[in-house]
Amino acid sequence: MSLNIIRFEHGRRVGWGVIRGSAITPVPGEFATTGDFIAGTSLVELAALHSDTLDLSQVRLLSPVTRNQQFLCQGANYRQHMIESGMDPDAKKYNMIFTKARSCISPADTEVVKPREVRFLDYEIELGLVIGKPIRGAVQVTDDNLHEYVAGAVIVNDYSARDVQIPQTQFYKGKSFRTFGPIGPWLTLLDASSIAALKQLQLTLRVNGEVRQDDTTANLVYGPAETLTELSGVQDFEPGDLLATGTPAGCALSVPSPAKQKLAALLPEKKKWEIFFNVQAKRSQYLKPGDEVEARIRSVDGSVDLGVQRNRIVAEA
């Protein structure tokens, strides 16, 4: 069983609700954070909830992951994306992990602000996992007990300023500008009978109607269970924390081949980055104000549907 949950504003109240079609059944109680909601409810009780409803048009959708939660990400975690990035997925020896600033978390259909100083704004559709219970020590997570640690899944778009990320050789700043982390539209709760769908989800991203990314989670290099097992030996998790699991091939970024990277390493820094910027400037795939980005994730049979997220790119005022 899976169930879609939204966080919304109606009047002056922020609430949570079960969404079925365009009808929202408000969930009784006050839950300030995603962690509070997960800890204070159960999927079975929520599924049985039927009362007066609101229409989707009456509310303003908020991110189903609140800004108090951790926002961790995996990098280069789809086979084809690694290949187009000049890496061999069969030779990869480590699980790349980084973080985004919590302040970049935004509602699903937010306008994404392109900062004035950013030239190369990129998109990255990703499956986000929402943690279901505290992890305070090393645990062994398997496909059989994954539902005990993962409450559900969301759509994440990991917007990235490549001209900040790549030359500075760090992920945090280039991926953390405000609005660079739209999440939702809803949180899809999963139980033991539906958690296996995480291995069969189709991710599709379009820009102005053109398909740019299209792949399935079957092509993840490091899956959810092994990643949580590894990270549990490093750090704590709380209910509601978010782990974005990497993006498929098809980003705007053009990565030089390994041979070209070796040659570039011999060049003076200024010359190396001058060449990099010149190559990227010829890529029409980078986002510009007015572009419309649509991200969709669902299982092939439609039984698990994380919804559709739409962003319009706007220039910084």
Side-chain angles (χ1 to χ4, degrees):
M1 176 173 61
S2 67
L3 197 65
N4 297 328
I5 302 295
I6 64 167
R7 179 169 164 261
F8 64 91
E9 184 177 85
H10 180 246
R12 295 184 177 181
R13 179 180 177 271
V14 172
W16 299 77
V18 179
I19 184 163
R20 302 178 178 95
S22 65
I24 302 164
T25 305
V27 178
E30 299 290 333
F31 306 101
T33 70
T34 305
D36 291 343
F37 179 79
I38 290 172
T41 60
S42 76
L43 195 158
V44 172
E45 291 174 353
L46 292 169
L49 190 63
H50 292 279
S51 61
D52 293 341
T53 62
L54 298 168
D55 190 84
L56 187 61
S57 63
Q58 296 178 270
V59 308
R60 184 171 74 91
L61 287 185
L62 305 174
S63 168
V65 176
T66 49
R67 288 184 171 179
N68 66 301
Q69 310 286 172
Q70 296 188 82
F71 193 169
L72 282 79
C73 305
Q74 291 177 264
N77 198 32
Y78 279 81
R79 295 186 64 83
Q80 195 59 39
H81 182 52
M82 290 186 68
I83 292 169
E84 74 171 2
S85 300
M87 294 179 272
D88 180 354
D90 296 318
K92 188 180 181 185
K93 301 296 184 185
Y94 64 93
N95 195 349
M96 182 188 295
I97 304 293
F98 61 93
T99 60
K100 286 171 76 89
R102 302 172 190 187
S103 56
C104 79
I105 291 176
S106 307
D109 293 345
T110 195
E111 290 185 336
V112 172
V113 178
K114 182 174 182 289
R116 281 186 292 271
E117 69 269 31
V118 171
R119 294 177 63 191
F120 305 129
L121 175 61
D122 211 344
Y123 45 82
E124 293 189 5
I125 185 175
E126 303 200 16
L127 168 67
L129 306 177
V130 176
I131 302 300
K133 72 177 186 180
I135 300 176
R136 307 273 170 74
V139 293
Q140 188 68 36
V141 184
T142 67
D143 288 345
D144 290 336
N145 67 10
L146 183 61
H147 64 283
E148 298 177 14
Y149 297 95
V150 173
V154 293
I155 298 175
V156 175
N157 199 328
D158 173 21
Y159 284 96
S160 305
R162 302 301 192 193
D163 42 341
V164 176
Q165 175 197 348
I166 305 298
Q168 295 190 14
T169 62
Q170 62 168 308
F171 284 51
Y172 183 77
K173 284 196 290 183
K175 290 173 172 285
S176 290
F177 288 95
R178 294 176 184 84
T179 72
F180 274 26
I183 295 169
W186 51 67
L187 162 63
T188 299
L189 296 177
L190 302 167
D191 64 6
S193 69
S194 57
I195 198 83
L198 293 178
K199 288 187 171 184
Q200 306 165 11
L201 296 177
Q202 188 76 31
L203 295 79
T204 306
L205 180 138
R206 293 179 170 83
V207 178
N208 301 326
E210 176 191 5
V211 174
R212 297 281 184 87
Q213 294 182 285
D214 192 26
D215 206 343
T216 82
T217 50
N219 291 319
L220 281 168
V221 178
Y222 289 92
E226 63 185 315
T227 299
L228 290 177
T229 297
E230 179 187 354
L231 289 180
S232 73
V234 177
Q235 67 156 87
D236 292 346
F237 286 94
E238 299 297 332
D241 285 347
L242 176 64
L243 173 65
T245 55
T247 197
C251 294
L253 175 67
S254 173
V255 178
S257 67
K260 288 182 177 179
Q261 291 183 42
K262 289 181 180 178
L263 287 173
L266 302 175
L267 297 173
E269 281 290 298
K270 182 178 179 181
K271 185 64 178 178
K272 179 174 70 175
W273 294 118
E274 180 182 313
I275 294 172
F276 173 80
F277 285 128
N278 286 340
V279 170
Q280 303 308 316
K282 296 176 182 175
R283 302 277 293 172
S284 61
Q285 294 93 333
Y286 282 112
L287 298 170
K288 58 186 181 301
D291 283 346
E292 304 278 350
V293 182
E294 179 188 281
R296 179 190 298 266
I297 300 179
R298 58 179 297 181
S299 61
V300 174
D301 65 4
S303 61
V304 173
D305 189 346
L306 276 57
V308 182
Q309 181 183 115
R310 296 182 179 88
N311 306 128
R312 188 168 71 90
I313 309 302
V314 300
E316 183 179 8

